[in-house]
Amino acid sequence: MASVVTSQVLSYFLTNSELKPRSRVRVQSVSSGDSKGLPSDSVQLNGASLTGEEEKNGVLIDRGIREKEKTRGRVYAWNASLKCGVEKTCVKDVISSDLDVLWDDGYGNKTVKDYFEEAKDMIRPDGGPPRWFCPVDCGQPLKDSPVLLFCPGLDGVGSALILHHKALGKVFEVRCLHIPVCDRTPFEGLVTIVEETVRLEHASSPNKPIYLLGDSFGGCLVLAVAARNPEIDLVVILANPATSFERSQLQPLFPLSETWPGGLYNAVPYLLSCIMGDPVKMASVNIEHRLPRRLQIEQLFQNLIALLPCVSDLADIVPKDTLTWKLKLLKSAASYTNSRIHAVKAEVLVLSSGNDYMLPSGDEAQRLKSSLKNCTVRYFKDNGHTILLEDGVNLLTVIKGTGKYRHSKTMDFVTDFVPPSMSEFKYGYDELVGFLNFATGSAMFSTLDDGKIVKGLHGVPNDGPVLFVGNHMLMGLETCSLVLEFLRERNIMVRGIAHPVVLGEREQVSSPEFSFTDWMKVMGAVPVTASNLFKLLSIKSHVLLYPGGARESLHHRGEEYKLFWPDQPEFVRMAARFGATIVPFGTVGEDDIAELVLDYNDQMKIPVLNDYIRNATRSSIRIRDKSKGEVANQELYIPGLLPKLPGRFYFLFGKPVSTSGRKEEILKDRENANQLYLHIKSEVEGCIAYLLKKREEDPYRNLADRTLYRALHSPFHEVPAFDP
């Protein structure tokens, strides 16, 4: 029989209150034994039991999950056995199915110091076996969110996700495995515990994927479960997995753990802290990157000093006897898992650190990629072994960017999209395209319903569906500025339609880092297909479409601002089907930042290079046939550019064209559809001509003038341009 055991779990109220009262909850284990402890209808809060009427006033019991929400806080506990069969009671709060754009993912609010504080409470001996718990910070997930089971590393605490609790808790039902300090369950016993939970979850929701996240030792655990359950739809995420334990750089030192004098063991935590993680990366998590450099350095030193007293806690988290046991457990775990790795059929994502001094994680990631059938690797060259506790790795961002987040058997770019959070937006705006924004100083203009052109994006409809149709500049450089400016100024998520080659996985790269392509997915880009456009318009999205596609973005010398559109009104009929508003727009400025000196025709005259271009074009996905005209010629090459002292990007969004009420007129009459198509094309050409003329009147067209103005007056995005 499953037994009920008491575990003291540190919990924080989900508020911004400076006073964060601690609560104690009881968690049911999944090990066998006698049943004793808290009944299924009771939760301990600060020593008081919540039962009966209190549950009717707001406690949620759903397959073991309990929630108590008050004005100043929330307590969350999970009955880990999933065997009680507790019926769902009434729920006061409606579970949301959507996230707002620029939502708060909490990244940077928690630090490694919080991990140590939580660990001190959780390592108190209670004689209980391993158990699952749901962190309070995770809160209530969105409707129909998949389950994520986290298996910890050598520490066994289960709180190594503390930096990511709030973000993951929005889109997953997060459950963490806690292995008590004094527990000596063998590896196969731990595999059984996780496996039972996985099978129960699968039986409950057979059409939903189950996420298994393993950190170091936990990586062996989740891979072993995946190998034993190939028929279950699993998404396995590995953070520096310990499957490479036998090849560890520290292998000669491990036998010393048994002979290390007890009095000297207190020095071991300081040694481990240097080996297992990067202290600077850990201390940088909550530092705002928009602060002046001097203030960033000051806060970094303060954080490092605050971490020093916490290091000694490692001796309590992993005592000498426990360390000796865990090293033996690691050895058996690696051997067990590697002998069964061929049986893994799950989708796998490996996060590999470049500065891992405990395990050869970089080499191991490549081994796993070659051994597993469906494995993706992302390499973080500056991070250490404890990658989940370090700055620079937002786990949810990585999951989204690699296309691993889904609700069903296959990932859908539209229905499985999670909008960018505020921290993702800040990183994208400041770090990812910060230099491009600085160099190009994008000036946005739009057209009101009465035809008046105004500065900013006020003329763009707020309610969808809206289809933005415009011209591509060279290499699509304008796209990032457009999407980010809509987020900054209007809080509107613009979903860009991109060529599949741009969003494809880079198979030829041995150690791919989290790249610009991944960030495009995070910011809402989807492959260009008729079905994706259909889905986006059907859910009233703001969609960005470039009819000229690859031919326009990789144009030849002398073809700046020339449209290469298909002969057929492809997008007009789709927009009319949903009554979408079409907003034509033009953008100029590529000739102000670089000169195209080596185009496609030039490169095809160069031996070897021309063969490479032919092979790349031949192997790419062709989205249009030759009957579509010049736009179907999608020669894929990298233009040779000669940089200039940057000028400025200019955007003009024309007068919105509504198709509401014109569905029958446009869908049934090709002539009407074609006339509207030509009108939109003419509007785009008019926007381009207007900007090319008016930019000559801009006193801040030059980078030097804009930089001086910014230093003296205002933020960069407020630098004025010409009067429309």
Side-chain angles (χ1 to χ4, degrees):
M1 295 177 61
S3 69
V4 181
V5 297
T6 302
S7 170
Q8 297 178 341
V9 181
L10 175 66
S11 306
Y12 290 100
F13 285 124
L14 297 176
T15 66
N16 293 323
S17 172
E18 295 180 359
L19 296 177
K20 298 180 179 180
R22 298 185 179 185
S23 63
R24 302 187 181 194
V25 300
R26 289 190 173 188
V27 183
Q28 184 165 336
S29 78
V30 290
S31 298
S32 60
D34 296 330
S35 177
K36 54 183 177 181
L38 192 68
S40 62
D41 61 350
S42 175
V43 175
Q44 289 281 345
L45 171 59
N46 293 333
S49 177
L50 305 177
T51 58
E53 291 300 318
E54 292 176 286
E55 289 189 344
K56 295 178 182 179
N57 292 327
V59 176
L60 168 65
I61 304 178
D62 184 7
R63 293 192 0 250
I65 297 178
R66 300 170 175 269
E67 182 184 31
K68 177 72 178 178
E69 181 162 350
K70 292 186 176 182
T71 305
R72 301 299 297 165
R74 176 183 294 167
V75 175
Y76 214 109
W78 186 53
N79 177 346
S81 72
L82 299 176
K83 296 179 180 178
C84 292
V86 184
E87 294 183 359
K88 181 188 294 185
T89 61
C90 61
V91 183
K92 279 193 171 183
D93 296 334
V94 177
I95 300 176
S96 173
S97 59
D98 295 300
L99 275 175
D100 293 331
V101 176
L102 304 186
W103 55 284
D104 179 16
D105 64 3
Y107 190 75
N109 293 339
K110 295 286 187 176
T111 66
V112 179
K113 187 177 179 181
D114 295 297
Y115 162 80
F116 281 109
E117 290 179 355
E118 186 164 312
K120 282 190 291 187
D121 262 30
M122 296 185 67
I123 62 176
R124 295 174 185 173
D126 59 12
R131 72 216 63 172
W132 297 97
F133 70 95
C134 179
V136 177
D137 292 335
C138 289
Q140 176 67 58
L142 297 177
K143 185 179 180 181
D144 295 326
S145 294
V147 170
L148 185 147
L149 303 176
F150 172 63
C151 296
L154 193 69
D155 62 311
V157 176
S159 296
L161 282 181
I162 194 165
L163 273 60
H164 313 277
H165 281 165
K166 187 171 183 179
L168 294 176
K170 286 290 187 181
V171 296
F172 291 105
E173 291 183 22
V174 179
R175 299 163 193 178
C176 304
L177 182 64
H178 173 65
I179 305 174
V181 173
C182 299
D183 180 75
R184 297 296 182 262
T185 304
F187 181 70
E188 290 193 46
L190 295 174
V191 171
T192 301
I193 290 173
V194 180
E195 185 177 52
E196 286 182 357
T197 305
V198 166
R199 289 179 176 177
L200 285 167
E201 279 296 333
H202 177 65
S204 174
S205 303
N207 296 321
K208 290 169 63 175
I210 299 172
Y211 284 74
L212 297 178
L213 171 58
D215 179 22
S216 188
F217 164 75
C220 295
L221 194 52
V222 299
L223 274 177
V225 172
R228 289 167 47 145
N229 297 273
E231 74 285 356
I232 297 180
D233 183 13
L234 300 175
V235 180
V236 176
I237 303 172
L238 309 173
N240 295 322
T243 45
S244 62
F245 179 72
E246 290 296 332
R247 292 178 282 119
S248 171
Q249 302 92 310
L250 304 178
Q251 195 64 235
L253 300 178
F254 291 147
L256 298 178
S257 64
E258 298 184 27
T259 60
W260 195 280
L264 296 178
Y265 186 74
N266 289 334
V268 172
Y270 296 92
L271 176 62
L272 288 176
S273 65
C274 297
I275 295 173
M276 296 187 67
D278 185 338
V280 174
K281 280 284 186 181
M282 292 181 179
S284 301
V285 170
N286 64 340
I287 297 178
E288 175 59 61
H289 294 288
R290 293 185 174 185
L291 290 174
R293 181 64 62 182
R294 178 182 60 83
L295 295 179
Q296 289 186 36
I297 295 174
E298 287 180 4
Q299 189 171 346
L300 175 62
F301 275 107
Q302 292 173 4
N303 291 349
L304 285 171
I305 293 172
L307 277 179
L308 285 177
C310 299
V311 175
S312 60
D313 294 335
L314 281 173
D316 298 323
I317 297 173
V318 188
K320 182 176 180 293
D321 292 343
T322 299
L323 179 60
T324 302
W325 163 256
K326 288 291 180 70
L327 291 176
K328 293 178 180 178
L329 191 65
L330 269 174
K331 185 176 181 179
S332 65
S335 176
Y336 182 98
T337 303
N338 286 322
S339 66
R340 293 163 174 78
I341 202 168
H342 62 278
V344 175
K345 307 293 188 219
E347 187 176 2
V348 179
L349 170 63
V350 181
L351 311 185
S352 169
S353 294
N355 290 333
D356 190 344
Y357 300 120
M358 186 171 180
L359 298 171
S361 294
D363 293 340
E364 181 64 6
Q366 295 311 308
R367 186 184 76 88
L368 291 173
K369 186 175 182 179
S370 61
S371 302
L372 299 172
K373 295 181 179 180
N374 187 7
C375 181
T376 302
V377 173
R378 284 299 177 268
Y379 183 67
F380 299 87
K381 62 180 181 179
D382 298 324
N383 290 89
H385 183 70
T386 54
I387 187 172
L388 298 177
L389 289 170
E390 297 178 10
D391 188 33
V393 184
N394 186 325
L395 183 56
L396 180 58
T397 302
V398 177
I399 293 172
K400 294 193 298 180
T402 51
K404 301 301 180 186
Y405 185 75
R406 53 188 173 90
H407 295 84
S408 57
K409 293 187 180 299
T410 57
M411 184 265 186
D412 190 299
F413 278 91
V414 178
T415 58
D416 291 325
F417 176 66
V418 178
S421 65
M422 179 57 76
S423 70
E424 290 169 338
F425 167 75
K426 287 181 178 179
Y427 183 88
Y429 198 90
D430 297 340
E431 306 291 331
L432 189 65
V433 294
F435 177 76
L436 182 65
N437 286 336
F438 174 81
T440 60
S442 300
M444 300 280 178
F445 299 88
S446 59
T447 308
L448 303 178
D449 289 336
D450 60 5
K452 181 181 178 181
I453 298 176
V454 296
K455 183 75 165 67
L457 300 172
H458 307 294
V460 175
N462 191 54
D463 298 325
V466 175
L467 183 62
F468 298 104
V469 180
N471 67 300
H472 246 324
M473 289 201 294
L474 189 62
M475 298 180 70
L477 292 174
E478 79 290 342
T479 307
C480 294
S481 298
L482 188 155
V483 172
L484 290 173
E485 281 299 317
F486 267 94
L487 284 171
R488 184 193 65 80
E489 184 176 333
R490 294 291 306 276
N491 203 40
I492 290 176
M493 183 72 249
V494 176
R495 305 294 305 275
I497 304 289
H499 195 287
V501 171
V502 178
L503 300 178
E505 185 67 22
R506 297 151 293 158
E507 297 294 340
Q508 70 279 10
V509 181
S510 59
S511 299
E513 299 182 30
F514 196 77
S515 67
F516 184 77
T517 295
D518 298 323
W519 274 104
M520 289 181 65
K521 297 174 187 175
V522 173
M523 301 308 292
V526 302
V528 55
T529 64
S531 61
N532 281 340
L533 181 58
F534 182 95
K535 292 175 186 176
L536 288 170
L537 293 178
S538 68
I539 60 173
K540 302 185 183 300
S541 299
H542 288 68
V543 185
L544 175 61
L545 177 67
Y546 293 99
R551 177 62 181 89
E552 206 167 85
S553 66
L554 298 175
H555 59 249
H556 304 166
R557 191 165 49 250
E559 295 178 344
E560 298 85 355
Y561 311 125
K562 181 179 179 181
L563 301 185
F564 293 91
W565 286 20
D567 299 329
Q568 303 297 322
E570 298 172 332
F571 62 85
V572 169
R573 296 167 63 84
M574 185 74 78
R577 180 183 296 273
F578 297 99
T581 300
I582 302 175
V583 179
F585 74 92
T587 175
V588 303
E590 68 169 82
D591 54 338
D592 262 1
I593 64 169
E595 180 182 355
L596 178 58
V597 295
L598 203 63
D599 66 3
Y600 172 78
N601 295 325
D602 297 324
Q603 295 186 26
M604 290 302 292
K605 298 174 183 177
I606 302 175
V608 181
L609 181 58
N610 54 15
D611 290 335
Y612 178 81
I613 294 174
R614 289 192 191 97
N615 291 334
T617 302
R618 191 181 303 115
S619 60
S620 67
I621 300 173
R622 185 167 293 277
I623 58 176
R624 290 189 175 100
D625 58 42
K626 294 293 185 180
S627 65
K628 300 296 183 180
E630 177 65 19
V631 69
N633 296 326
Q634 54 171 35
E635 298 90 358
L636 303 181
Y637 77 103
I638 300 176
L641 303 177
L642 181 64
K644 298 180 179 179
L645 180 65
R648 198 171 194 179
F649 283 176
Y650 299 88
F651 296 80
L652 172 59
F653 294 87
K655 185 178 179 180
V657 179
S658 176
T659 64
S660 179
R662 302 181 61 184
K663 179 178 179 180
E664 298 298 323
E665 170 191 344
I666 294 174
L667 292 182
K668 292 184 177 181
D669 191 330
R670 289 187 174 274
E671 183 60 30
N672 283 335
N674 193 56
Q675 287 181 2
L676 180 57
Y677 177 76
L678 294 176
H679 171 70
I680 298 297
K681 185 176 181 180
S682 176
E683 286 291 302
V684 172
E685 292 172 332
C687 290
I688 294 172
Y690 175 87
L691 291 174
L692 289 174
K693 178 181 178 181
K694 293 291 289 184
R695 72 176 178 176
E696 302 296 334
E697 304 173 11
D698 184 4
Y700 301 103
R701 180 177 174 183
N702 185 276
L703 174 62
D705 295 327
R706 292 197 304 276
T707 304
L708 179 61
Y709 184 93
R710 182 191 183 195
L712 297 176
H713 295 91
S714 68
F716 200 57
H717 61 259
E718 295 180 7
V719 176
F722 58 79
D723 292 327

